[in-house]
mmCIF file of all heavy atoms in Angstrom:
data_model
loop_
_atom_site.group_PDB
_atom_site.id
_atom_site.type_symbol
_atom_site.label_atom_id
_atom_site.label_comp_id
_atom_site.label_asym_id
_atom_site.label_seq_id
_atom_site.Cartn_x
_atom_site.Cartn_y
_atom_site.Cartn_z
ATOM 1 N N LEU S 1148 49.181 33.283 10.972
ATOM 2 C CA LEU S 1148 47.823 33.431 11.514
ATOM 3 C C LEU S 1148 47.919 33.994 12.921
ATOM 4 O O LEU S 1148 48.726 33.527 13.729
ATOM 5 C CB LEU S 1148 47.111 32.072 11.525
ATOM 6 C CG LEU S 1148 45.634 32.064 11.915
ATOM 7 C CD1 LEU S 1148 44.912 30.891 11.251
ATOM 8 C CD2 LEU S 1148 45.390 32.044 13.416
ATOM 9 N N MET S 1175 43.011 36.361 12.318
ATOM 10 C CA MET S 1175 41.886 35.526 12.746
ATOM 11 C C MET S 1175 41.898 35.434 14.264
ATOM 12 O O MET S 1175 42.937 35.121 14.856
ATOM 13 C CB MET S 1175 42.048 34.129 12.132
ATOM 14 C CG MET S 1175 40.817 33.276 12.192
ATOM 15 S SD MET S 1175 41.059 31.698 11.316
ATOM 16 C CE MET S 1175 40.293 32.012 9.741
ATOM 17 N N ASP S 1176 40.761 35.705 14.868
ATOM 18 C CA ASP S 1176 40.655 35.598 16.326
ATOM 19 C C ASP S 1176 40.158 34.194 16.669
ATOM 20 O O ASP S 1176 38.992 33.864 16.438
ATOM 21 C CB ASP S 1176 39.690 36.668 16.854
ATOM 22 C CG ASP S 1176 39.594 36.633 18.371
ATOM 23 O OD1 ASP S 1176 40.096 35.664 18.990
ATOM 24 O OD2 ASP S 1176 38.999 37.567 18.941
ATOM 25 N N LEU S 1177 41.040 33.394 17.210
ATOM 26 C CA LEU S 1177 40.701 31.992 17.476
ATOM 27 C C LEU S 1177 39.654 31.841 18.578
ATOM 28 O O LEU S 1177 39.078 30.768 18.733
ATOM 29 C CB LEU S 1177 41.960 31.194 17.835
ATOM 30 C CG LEU S 1177 43.005 31.098 16.715
ATOM 31 C CD1 LEU S 1177 44.252 30.360 17.205
ATOM 32 C CD2 LEU S 1177 42.450 30.415 15.475
ATOM 33 N N SER S 1178 39.399 32.905 19.329
ATOM 34 C CA SER S 1178 38.358 32.793 20.358
ATOM 35 C C SER S 1178 36.957 32.861 19.734
ATOM 36 O O SER S 1178 35.966 32.566 20.394
ATOM 37 C CB SER S 1178 38.510 33.883 21.418
ATOM 38 O OG SER S 1178 38.202 35.143 20.875
ATOM 39 N N GLN S 1179 36.923 33.253 18.453
ATOM 40 C CA GLN S 1179 35.624 33.430 17.786
ATOM 41 C C GLN S 1179 35.413 32.462 16.631
ATOM 42 O O GLN S 1179 34.323 32.401 16.069
ATOM 43 C CB GLN S 1179 35.526 34.860 17.194
ATOM 44 C CG GLN S 1179 35.857 35.985 18.150
ATOM 45 C CD GLN S 1179 34.736 36.241 19.128
ATOM 46 O OE1 GLN S 1179 33.598 35.889 18.869
ATOM 47 N NE2 GLN S 1179 35.068 36.807 20.269
ATOM 48 N N ILE S 1180 36.440 31.757 16.192
ATOM 49 C CA ILE S 1180 36.325 31.085 14.893
ATOM 50 C C ILE S 1180 35.287 29.965 14.880
ATOM 51 O O ILE S 1180 35.057 29.281 15.877
ATOM 52 C CB ILE S 1180 37.655 30.517 14.345
ATOM 53 C CG1 ILE S 1180 38.259 29.471 15.258
ATOM 54 C CG2 ILE S 1180 38.595 31.575 13.931
ATOM 55 C CD1 ILE S 1180 39.246 28.576 14.509
ATOM 56 N N THR S 1181 34.706 29.823 13.699
ATOM 57 C CA THR S 1181 33.675 28.821 13.477
ATOM 58 C C THR S 1181 34.100 27.978 12.270
ATOM 59 O O THR S 1181 35.060 28.318 11.565
ATOM 60 C CB THR S 1181 32.347 29.515 13.125
ATOM 61 O OG1 THR S 1181 32.570 30.287 11.937
ATOM 62 C CG2 THR S 1181 31.871 30.422 14.239
ATOM 63 N N GLN S 1182 33.356 26.941 12.025
ATOM 64 C CA GLN S 1182 33.661 26.054 10.891
ATOM 65 C C GLN S 1182 33.708 26.824 9.556
ATOM 66 O O GLN S 1182 34.650 26.634 8.772
ATOM 67 C CB GLN S 1182 32.631 24.922 10.843
ATOM 68 C CG GLN S 1182 32.925 23.896 9.763
ATOM 69 C CD GLN S 1182 31.945 22.749 9.773
ATOM 70 O OE1 GLN S 1182 31.201 22.557 10.742
ATOM 71 N NE2 GLN S 1182 31.927 21.978 8.709
ATOM 72 N N PRO S 1183 32.727 27.709 9.258
ATOM 73 C CA PRO S 1183 32.810 28.441 7.989
ATOM 74 C C PRO S 1183 34.076 29.295 7.868
ATOM 75 O O PRO S 1183 34.656 29.415 6.780
ATOM 76 C CB PRO S 1183 31.554 29.328 7.999
ATOM 77 C CG PRO S 1183 30.614 28.637 8.907
ATOM 78 C CD PRO S 1183 31.439 27.954 9.945
ATOM 79 N N ASP S 1184 34.536 29.880 8.978
ATOM 80 C CA ASP S 1184 35.786 30.670 8.923
ATOM 81 C C ASP S 1184 36.942 29.795 8.463
ATOM 82 O O ASP S 1184 37.757 30.178 7.632
ATOM 83 C CB ASP S 1184 36.156 31.221 10.314
ATOM 84 C CG ASP S 1184 35.140 32.206 10.853
ATOM 85 O OD1 ASP S 1184 34.516 32.896 10.038
ATOM 86 O OD2 ASP S 1184 34.991 32.279 12.096
ATOM 87 N N VAL S 1185 37.030 28.623 9.046
ATOM 88 C CA VAL S 1185 38.172 27.752 8.743
ATOM 89 C C VAL S 1185 38.016 27.177 7.333
ATOM 90 O O VAL S 1185 39.008 26.989 6.621
ATOM 91 C CB VAL S 1185 38.318 26.639 9.804
ATOM 92 C CG1 VAL S 1185 39.614 25.871 9.585
ATOM 93 C CG2 VAL S 1185 38.337 27.236 11.198
ATOM 94 N N GLU S 1186 36.784 26.937 6.931
ATOM 95 C CA GLU S 1186 36.582 26.450 5.557
ATOM 96 C C GLU S 1186 36.996 27.511 4.542
ATOM 97 O O GLU S 1186 37.564 27.197 3.498
ATOM 98 C CB GLU S 1186 35.123 26.022 5.356
ATOM 99 C CG GLU S 1186 34.854 24.677 6.018
ATOM 100 C CD GLU S 1186 33.385 24.285 6.102
ATOM 101 O OE1 GLU S 1186 32.505 25.133 5.796
ATOM 102 O OE2 GLU S 1186 33.114 23.148 6.494
ATOM 103 N N GLY S 1187 36.739 28.785 4.871
ATOM 104 C CA GLY S 1187 37.187 29.879 4.001
ATOM 105 C C GLY S 1187 38.710 29.912 3.920
ATOM 106 O O GLY S 1187 39.294 30.119 2.840
ATOM 107 N N LEU S 1188 39.361 29.704 5.051
ATOM 108 C CA LEU S 1188 40.824 29.668 5.075
ATOM 109 C C LEU S 1188 41.337 28.501 4.223
ATOM 110 O O LEU S 1188 42.279 28.654 3.438
ATOM 111 C CB LEU S 1188 41.308 29.526 6.530
ATOM 112 C CG LEU S 1188 42.783 29.213 6.734
ATOM 113 C CD1 LEU S 1188 43.667 30.323 6.178
ATOM 114 C CD2 LEU S 1188 43.093 28.981 8.216
ATOM 115 N N ALA S 1189 40.711 27.339 4.392
ATOM 116 C CA ALA S 1189 41.150 26.158 3.623
ATOM 117 C C ALA S 1189 41.024 26.422 2.127
ATOM 118 O O ALA S 1189 41.913 26.069 1.344
ATOM 119 C CB ALA S 1189 40.319 24.937 4.028
ATOM 120 N N GLN S 1190 39.932 27.069 1.741
ATOM 121 C CA GLN S 1190 39.728 27.366 0.312
ATOM 122 C C GLN S 1190 40.808 28.320 -0.199
ATOM 123 O O GLN S 1190 41.369 28.124 -1.286
ATOM 124 C CB GLN S 1190 38.330 27.990 0.122
ATOM 125 C CG GLN S 1190 37.915 28.145 -1.334
ATOM 126 C CD GLN S 1190 37.857 26.806 -2.067
ATOM 127 O OE1 GLN S 1190 37.170 25.889 -1.632
ATOM 128 N NE2 GLN S 1190 38.616 26.668 -3.159
ATOM 129 N N ALA S 1191 41.108 29.337 0.608
ATOM 130 C CA ALA S 1191 42.149 30.296 0.203
ATOM 131 C C ALA S 1191 43.516 29.616 0.092
ATOM 132 O O ALA S 1191 44.283 29.878 -0.842
ATOM 133 C CB ALA S 1191 42.210 31.443 1.213
ATOM 134 N N HIS S 1228 38.227 27.438 24.060
ATOM 135 C CA HIS S 1228 38.002 27.631 22.627
ATOM 136 C C HIS S 1228 39.313 27.923 21.902
ATOM 137 O O HIS S 1228 39.615 27.330 20.872
ATOM 138 C CB HIS S 1228 36.988 28.753 22.378
ATOM 139 C CG HIS S 1228 36.408 28.704 20.995
ATOM 140 N ND1 HIS S 1228 35.338 27.919 20.662
ATOM 141 C CD2 HIS S 1228 36.796 29.311 19.843
ATOM 142 C CE1 HIS S 1228 35.070 28.043 19.371
ATOM 143 N NE2 HIS S 1228 35.937 28.892 18.855
ATOM 144 N N THR S 1232 39.511 23.936 21.253
ATOM 145 C CA THR S 1232 38.483 23.779 20.208
ATOM 146 C C THR S 1232 38.980 24.320 18.867
ATOM 147 O O THR S 1232 38.785 23.686 17.819
ATOM 148 C CB THR S 1232 37.171 24.491 20.623
ATOM 149 O OG1 THR S 1232 36.767 23.966 21.883
ATOM 150 C CG2 THR S 1232 36.071 24.262 19.611
ATOM 151 N N ALA S 1233 39.643 25.477 18.885
ATOM 152 C CA ALA S 1233 40.175 26.037 17.623
ATOM 153 C C ALA S 1233 41.236 25.114 17.025
ATOM 154 O O ALA S 1233 41.345 24.993 15.798
ATOM 155 C CB ALA S 1233 40.766 27.425 17.877
ATOM 156 N N VAL S 1234 41.978 24.453 17.886
ATOM 157 C CA VAL S 1234 43.003 23.504 17.424
ATOM 158 C C VAL S 1234 42.327 22.332 16.701
ATOM 159 O O VAL S 1234 42.759 21.893 15.631
ATOM 160 C CB VAL S 1234 43.852 23.023 18.623
ATOM 161 C CG1 VAL S 1234 44.767 21.874 18.235
ATOM 162 C CG2 VAL S 1234 44.662 24.185 19.195
ATOM 163 N N PHE S 1235 41.224 21.845 17.302
ATOM 164 C CA PHE S 1235 40.448 20.778 16.648
ATOM 165 C C PHE S 1235 39.918 21.254 15.296
ATOM 166 O O PHE S 1235 40.070 20.576 14.274
ATOM 167 C CB PHE S 1235 39.271 20.330 17.535
ATOM 168 C CG PHE S 1235 38.184 19.629 16.773
ATOM 169 C CD1 PHE S 1235 38.371 18.328 16.308
ATOM 170 C CD2 PHE S 1235 36.999 20.282 16.460
ATOM 171 C CE1 PHE S 1235 37.386 17.693 15.556
ATOM 172 C CE2 PHE S 1235 36.015 19.656 15.717
ATOM 173 C CZ PHE S 1235 36.207 18.348 15.264
ATOM 174 N N LEU S 1236 39.280 22.442 15.295
ATOM 175 C CA LEU S 1236 38.655 22.945 14.069
ATOM 176 C C LEU S 1236 39.669 23.101 12.934
ATOM 177 O O LEU S 1236 39.433 22.655 11.803
ATOM 178 C CB LEU S 1236 38.033 24.323 14.345
ATOM 179 C CG LEU S 1236 36.552 24.397 14.656
ATOM 180 C CD1 LEU S 1236 36.184 25.828 15.011
ATOM 181 C CD2 LEU S 1236 35.731 23.924 13.467
ATOM 182 N N LEU S 1237 40.791 23.746 13.241
ATOM 183 C CA LEU S 1237 41.813 23.963 12.209
ATOM 184 C C LEU S 1237 42.336 22.624 11.682
ATOM 185 O O LEU S 1237 42.474 22.429 10.469
ATOM 186 C CB LEU S 1237 42.979 24.790 12.773
ATOM 187 C CG LEU S 1237 42.713 26.286 12.962
ATOM 188 C CD1 LEU S 1237 43.784 26.913 13.851
ATOM 189 C CD2 LEU S 1237 42.679 27.005 11.606
ATOM 190 N N THR S 1238 42.613 21.712 12.596
ATOM 191 C CA THR S 1238 43.170 20.424 12.176
ATOM 192 C C THR S 1238 42.152 19.647 11.335
ATOM 193 O O THR S 1238 42.487 19.091 10.291
ATOM 194 C CB THR S 1238 43.563 19.578 13.404
ATOM 195 O OG1 THR S 1238 44.322 20.392 14.290
ATOM 196 C CG2 THR S 1238 44.388 18.375 12.991
ATOM 197 N N ARG S 1239 40.927 19.637 11.797
ATOM 198 C CA ARG S 1239 39.851 18.888 11.125
ATOM 199 C C ARG S 1239 39.640 19.389 9.694
ATOM 200 O O ARG S 1239 39.551 18.608 8.755
ATOM 201 C CB ARG S 1239 38.581 19.040 11.968
ATOM 202 C CG ARG S 1239 37.275 18.713 11.332
ATOM 203 C CD ARG S 1239 37.044 17.221 11.211
ATOM 204 N NE ARG S 1239 35.739 16.972 10.617
ATOM 205 C CZ ARG S 1239 35.455 17.119 9.330
ATOM 206 N NH1 ARG S 1239 36.393 17.516 8.490
ATOM 207 N NH2 ARG S 1239 34.237 16.880 8.887
ATOM 208 N N VAL S 1240 39.606 20.712 9.536
ATOM 209 C CA VAL S 1240 39.258 21.273 8.224
ATOM 210 C C VAL S 1240 40.484 21.348 7.298
ATOM 211 O O VAL S 1240 40.340 21.239 6.075
ATOM 212 C CB VAL S 1240 38.579 22.656 8.405
ATOM 213 C CG1 VAL S 1240 38.309 23.321 7.070
ATOM 214 C CG2 VAL S 1240 37.274 22.508 9.193
ATOM 215 N N LEU S 1241 41.673 21.504 7.871
ATOM 216 C CA LEU S 1241 42.873 21.619 7.013
ATOM 217 C C LEU S 1241 43.508 20.263 6.698
ATOM 218 O O LEU S 1241 44.430 20.186 5.876
ATOM 219 C CB LEU S 1241 43.901 22.547 7.672
ATOM 220 C CG LEU S 1241 43.427 23.991 7.889
ATOM 221 C CD1 LEU S 1241 44.517 24.823 8.556
ATOM 222 C CD2 LEU S 1241 42.999 24.655 6.577
ATOM 223 N N MET S 1242 42.999 19.203 7.312
ATOM 224 C CA MET S 1242 43.603 17.873 7.112
ATOM 225 C C MET S 1242 43.685 17.459 5.634
ATOM 226 O O MET S 1242 44.726 16.936 5.201
ATOM 227 C CB MET S 1242 42.822 16.838 7.921
ATOM 228 C CG MET S 1242 43.462 15.473 7.933
ATOM 229 S SD MET S 1242 45.083 15.483 8.726
ATOM 230 C CE MET S 1242 44.632 15.212 10.428
ATOM 231 N N PRO S 1243 42.651 17.681 4.830
ATOM 232 C CA PRO S 1243 42.775 17.271 3.418
ATOM 233 C C PRO S 1243 43.939 17.965 2.703
ATOM 234 O O PRO S 1243 44.584 17.354 1.849
ATOM 235 C CB PRO S 1243 41.428 17.696 2.807
ATOM 236 C CG PRO S 1243 40.480 17.712 3.958
ATOM 237 C CD PRO S 1243 41.283 18.156 5.147
#
Side-chain angles (χ1 to χ4, degrees):
L1148 187 152
M1175 195 175 261
D1176 182 349
L1177 296 176
S1178 69
Q1179 309 284 338
I1180 61 159
T1181 60
Q1182 184 177 345
D1184 296 329
V1185 188
E1186 284 169 351
L1188 169 62
Q1190 189 61 55
H1228 198 85
T1232 304
V1234 171
F1235 160 74
L1236 263 175
L1237 285 165
T1238 312
R1239 163 76 178 76
V1240 175
L1241 298 180
M1242 188 63 88

